[in-house]
Amino acid sequence: MKQLLKPMAFCVAVLFAVSACSDNGTGMNGEEDNGDGDMNPSELSVEDQGTSNGNQVTIPSLMIEESGWVVIHRDADGGPQVPDIIGKAMVDAGANSDVSIQLEESVSDGETLWAMLHQDTGAQGEYEFTGSDSPDQPVTVNGEILTKSFVISQTDPAVMSEDQVNKGGVFATNVDAAEDGWIVIHRSNSAGDGPQVPEIIAKTQVSAGSNTDVFIPLNDGETVEAGETLWPMLHYDTGTKGEYEFDGSSGLDQPVLFDGNIVLSSFTVLENQSTLTAMDQTLMDNSISVDVDASTDGWVVVHRTSTAGDGPMVPAIIGKTKIDAGMNEDVMISFGDSVVTDGEQLWPMVHFDTGVKGEYEFDGTGTQDLPMIIDGSILMTPITVSGSTASVVANDQAADSDIAIAEANAMQRGFVVIHRNTQDGNGNDAPDVSGIIGKTDVYTGTNGDLTINLDEGESIESGEKLWAMLHIDSNSNGSYDFDANDENPDDPPVFDSNENIVMVQFTLE
């Protein structure tokens, strides 16, 4: 039975005649007169710390007259719990620094431990202290047992997993680790009530502290089926750093124990029932809309059609949007500056998010963010996109530093440009095509709520009439190159079916 030997009783038991012992069991440091006129060089220093190298603690420095022991006790009511120890190490006579002590039991964050020096007076190299009548009694200084306390500061180890789909040969778990180590995955044993060890099917390294959404890739050649139960388990990294060496017999990279139990969890591999719905559609603000019912977080991306015309061009994408597990309706995928043409075939495709959370990392060769496979096929579908009949809508608006265009529709990439008002030969209002005061890009399809900043040096006034005119990007360089004096200019105005320029007049209020 564990017990705490009271300080005075302990001192008497080890045959030291003293008047009192320290309340916290801490001996004096430095060389002090031991009462016989000789100097006693024994001393001990400690520091708060976490465990390392497979549940070890370190004593920064100690001094002992003769070879002996430094041992670790748990705390009981503010003092060391003796005679039980949870770790020990032999030390040589004289100064010792950075002494590592292998703990035989797990310790918790915030727990107080006691380091204590003991003699080695019985069988040499065998720790035999069991109480007042045993060998290997504690070292004392000035009649006080030389012991000091320190606090464990670390994350208590735990593994937390949820039932999940196979994310392209990658599984996720949350890991709290006291030390840097490994999180590995075992299959179930033949009885189905625990892990099959030492064999593993996946592994990855983890750092001390809390590790959220740790993605663990399957080893090459390993596969799993829906319905399987898998066992993530936390292991130390005690052999060659960065090399997983646990084989059940070598003693390296052992499973982590906490409160007497192996730190692990289990989860069931779920069937991936994700679906993608995408229809042929008109481009809206250079984007398309799809619906995704996802069994896990991921991405929906858009690929162009390959040059062979028989599938998507991968890994290149022209747009992506993050999706969450569950139903994602009307997911907008913007193409940014990518130019999409009327009648072009595109390939929406669903991918996992298994690398850096929220960062799309699929490159066609790695294992991150792979496409979802459903019933043996990539979750994707081809659609055809179209432009919109050319038109421009601009409402009367306040004179400001920018101009609002309510909507611009186009069958191809182009520009909406702003002209001032002038009169034609018949005295009718007409755009002054000799120059523009502002412009903005438009893309194939419908472009809504556009804002045009005035060119440098331009200003507008209340009561002024302006014209918004649609031009095409005829040379496909993304730059507005129209020259009214050129007989065959680049980027000419767009004409409607009645051979009228697509433009609209509006008034500044």
Side-chain angles (χ1 to χ4, degrees), residues 150-217:
F150 61 96
V151 177
I152 293 296
S153 178
Q154 64 184 25
T155 302
D156 289 343
V159 177
M160 299 143 285
S161 304
E162 296 181 348
D163 295 346
Q164 58 192 280
V165 300
N166 179 353
K167 303 175 184 68
V170 177
F171 295 93
T173 189
N174 295 328
V175 182
D176 290 343
E179 308 176 16
D180 296 348
W182 296 92
I183 181 70
V184 306
I185 295 181
H186 300 269
R187 295 190 190 273
S188 288
N189 59 27
S190 58
D193 58 0
Q196 175 181 301
V197 292
E199 296 81 8
I200 64 171
I201 61 171
K203 66 180 184 297
T204 196
Q205 292 179 274
V206 292
S207 301
S210 294
N211 302 262
T212 303
D213 290 325
V214 179
F215 292 104
I216 315 170

Side-chain angles (χ1 to χ4, degrees), residues 10-18 119 137-144:
F10 202 118
C11 292
V12 173
V14 294
L15 305 180
F16 280 91
V18 296
Q119 304 167 49
Q137 290 291 309
V139 171
T140 63
V141 174
N142 291 336
E144 296 183 355

Side-chain angles (χ1 to χ4, degrees), residues 6 84 99 108-109 160 168 203 229 303 365 374 397 434 464 486:
K6 298 302 183 181
D84 300 323
V99 179
S108 301
D109 180 48
M160 299 143 285
K203 66 180 184 297
T229 298
H303 300 270
T365 58
I374 307 296
Q397 56 195 277
S434 62
E464 190 173 358
D486 192 334

Side-chain angles (χ1 to χ4, degrees), residues 383-394:
I383 64 170
T384 300
V385 295
S386 59
S388 301
T389 301
S391 66
V392 178
V393 178

Side-chain angles (χ1 to χ4, degrees), residues 412-415 471-477 479 481 489-492:
Q412 63 188 92
R413 172 80 156 76
F415 312 91
H471 287 243
I472 65 171
D473 184 17
S474 61
N475 54 15
S476 301
N477 66 357
S479 174
D481 302 313
D490 289 328
D491 305 342

